[in-house]
Amino acid sequence: QVQFVESGGGLVQAGGSLRLSCAASASTFRLNVMGWYRQAPGKERELVAVISSRGSINYADSVKGRFTISGDFTKDTVSLEMSSLRPEDTAVYYCYADMWVSLRLSKFWGQGTQVTVSS
């Protein structure tokens, strides 16, 4: 199991910036990937940005050039710097982590933090 402490959501005007932070407490197993997903009302949860323990990064096309993810796998923390925010970025943002357990990939999500971008 993985426990998360998420912080940094809130209300911001379009064009503004926010920083999301997440600290994970994992069990014996090491985390493989950490990152952020989001879910807007009436829509499916979608990947925003993830970073692997080897340093590879993947962004959703909609946030490339505006969001920056960073992670520290020695501390099991991940952050998301969001700039040039748009109303369509409004969603609940969920911290994400996965780990390999007995050759199976186990996925975990935090409780979520609300990000609201006003126009």
Side-chain angles (χ1 to χ4, degrees), residues 100-118:
W100 289 102
V101 180
S102 302
L103 300 180
R104 294 181 62 183
L105 188 66
S106 296
K107 301 180 179 182
F108 305 91
W109 281 269
Q111 291 188 328
T113 184
Q114 178 70 46
V115 171
T116 302
V117 184
S118 63

Side-chain angles (χ1 to χ4, degrees), residues 1-2 4 7 18 26 38 40 45-47 49 52-53 60 69-70 72 76 88 90 92 99 103-104 110 113 118-119:
Q1 287 293 334
V2 178
F4 297 93
S7 62
L18 279 176
R38 68 186 180 187
R45 190 173 297 187
E46 63 176 3
L47 180 148
S52 77
S53 59
I69 190 171
S70 59
D72 184 345
D76 287 343
E88 53 264 40
T90 295
V92 177
M99 64 174 67
L103 300 180
R104 294 181 62 183
T113 184
S118 63
S119 57

Side-chain angles (χ1 to χ4, degrees), residues 32 41 49-50 54 61 76 84 90 93 95 100 103 113:
N32 172 57
V50 291
R54 297 184 177 184
D61 288 343
D76 287 343
S84 301
T90 295
Y93 283 68
C95 188
W100 289 102
L103 300 180
T113 184

